[in-house]
Amino acid sequence: MKPRGPDLGPKAPRSLKVGGVVPFTATDYPGQIAAVVFVQGCPWRCAYCHNPHLQPRTRKGAFAWQAVLDLLARRVGLLDAVVFSGGEPTGDPALGQTIRDVKALGFKVGLHTAGTHPRRLRELLPLVDWVGLDIKAAFGDYADVTRVASSGKHALASLEAVQASGVQYECRTTLHPDLLPESEILKLAQTLSAMNITNYALQVFRTEGCADDQLNAVSMAGYPDPALIGRIAALFPAFTLRRA
Ligand code: SF4
């Protein structure tokens, strides 16, 4: 008979793999003072990624989740919310328990996601108070940005899950002329408007953190055309243009 070890009960959940923490921000969750927890790991490879060092997951993570939780506990009363960002937080199987830990301290929870893992996102949405969802391109052209086949299918399923959940959310698109020509930006905005997205943001590419020299060398002067921005703004009840 095969030897058996002692019964250790249910397998202990793994801890979140934390790649970094920003203890205080007023810009990552609309209207809320928040801390941001950056989660390691992302299956996509966008050339404009601002955190390429977070794409791989290390064996232990850069920070122990318990140490981060202790930090957050000392911030009760000073912060409104905790935002999980990345990397791609929904790729971490420990995110659900981690969110429960944070909610037990009384914080609201925000989630930045590119929609890489729609099934897990669907499970997490009832725990989350606000979502910032990246929409990278027309869903059929996603691989041009993410360099991963079928990524658009996952992003679309994630968007549909967010809409069905009733959670507050913003869709946002990062703009770079090499990846998203102006004609494509308008078509994408029209698609999202037709899908009843009410809160949309365009974020003009910043070189900060980006490791792609070719993208970094392109001037953003005059891009995108202000007239185009005006047309897009008119498609949404709430619209924001973010520039560096
Ligand atoms: S989905 Fe986000 S984290 Fe992942 S590679 Fe793209 S920009 Fe970076």
Side-chain angles (χ1 to χ4, degrees), residues 83-104:
V83 175
F84 292 94
S85 189
E88 174 49 53
T90 63
D92 194 314
L95 185 61
Q97 183 53 49
T98 307
I99 290 175
R100 288 185 185 90
D101 292 347
V102 163
K103 297 217 86 150

Side-chain angles (χ1 to χ4, degrees), residues 200-223:
Y200 188 45
L202 293 176
Q203 308 180 139
V204 180
F205 169 79
R206 291 175 291 119
T207 55
E208 183 192 340
C210 176
D212 189 302
D213 293 340
Q214 211 173 314
L215 292 188
N216 287 340
V218 176
S219 167
M220 294 293 125
Y223 168 86

Side-chain angles (χ1 to χ4, degrees), residues 11-234:
K11 201 173 166 192
R14 281 177 290 176
S15 287
L16 194 77
K17 294 208 173 181
V18 180
V21 178
V22 170
F24 184 90
T25 163
T27 58
D28 285 271
Y29 185 146
Q32 308 291 315
I33 303 299
V36 182
V37 177
F38 293 89
V39 182
Q40 288 185 334
C42 182
W44 295 353
R45 290 295 176 266
C46 313
Y48 58 47
C49 186
H50 293 299
N51 290 318
H53 63 290
L54 292 177
Q55 288 169 356
R57 279 163 73 79
T58 59
R59 199 172 64 81
K60 286 180 83 176
F63 299 89
W65 169 242
Q66 188 56 52
V68 177
L69 194 59
D70 292 345
L71 170 80
L72 295 173
R74 293 196 295 275
R75 303 241 152 184
V76 170
L78 301 172
L79 298 173
D80 304 312
V82 175
V83 175
F84 292 94
S85 189
E88 174 49 53
T90 63
D92 194 314
L95 185 61
Q97 183 53 49
T98 307
I99 290 175
R100 288 185 185 90
D101 292 347
V102 163
K103 297 217 86 150
L105 293 175
F107 294 117
K108 291 180 186 170
V109 168
L111 177 65
H112 293 174
T113 178
T116 54
H117 294 73
R119 196 179 311 163
R120 187 170 294 135
L121 177 63
R122 217 170 278 124
E123 292 166 7
L124 294 168
L125 283 169
L127 304 171
V128 172
D129 300 289
W130 177 82
V131 176
L133 177 64
D134 291 344
I135 302 293
K136 294 182 177 295
F139 296 107
D141 297 337
Y142 246 64
D144 294 349
V145 177
T146 65
R147 300 188 272 198
V148 172
S150 303
S151 47
K153 200 175 68 181
H154 297 294
L156 178 57
S158 292
L159 173 56
E160 289 169 348
V162 167
Q163 287 190 293
S165 74
V167 72
Q168 285 195 312
Y169 71 100
E170 169 192 275
C171 290
R172 56 271 197 91
T173 300
T174 297
L175 305 181
H176 189 293
D178 284 7
L179 297 171
L180 215 50
E182 290 189 340
S183 56
E184 297 300 319
I185 302 172
L186 181 60
K187 269 198 277 177
L188 175 59
Q190 287 166 334
T191 300
L192 297 177
S193 174
M195 292 176 75
N196 297 319
I197 276 80
T198 55
N199 192 356
Y200 188 45
L202 293 176
Q203 308 180 139
V204 180
F205 169 79
R206 291 175 291 119
T207 55
E208 183 192 340
C210 176
D212 189 302
D213 293 340
Q214 211 173 314
L215 292 188
N216 287 340
V218 176
S219 167
M220 294 293 125
Y223 168 86
D225 180 356
L228 172 70
I229 295 300
R231 288 181 69 186
I232 291 175

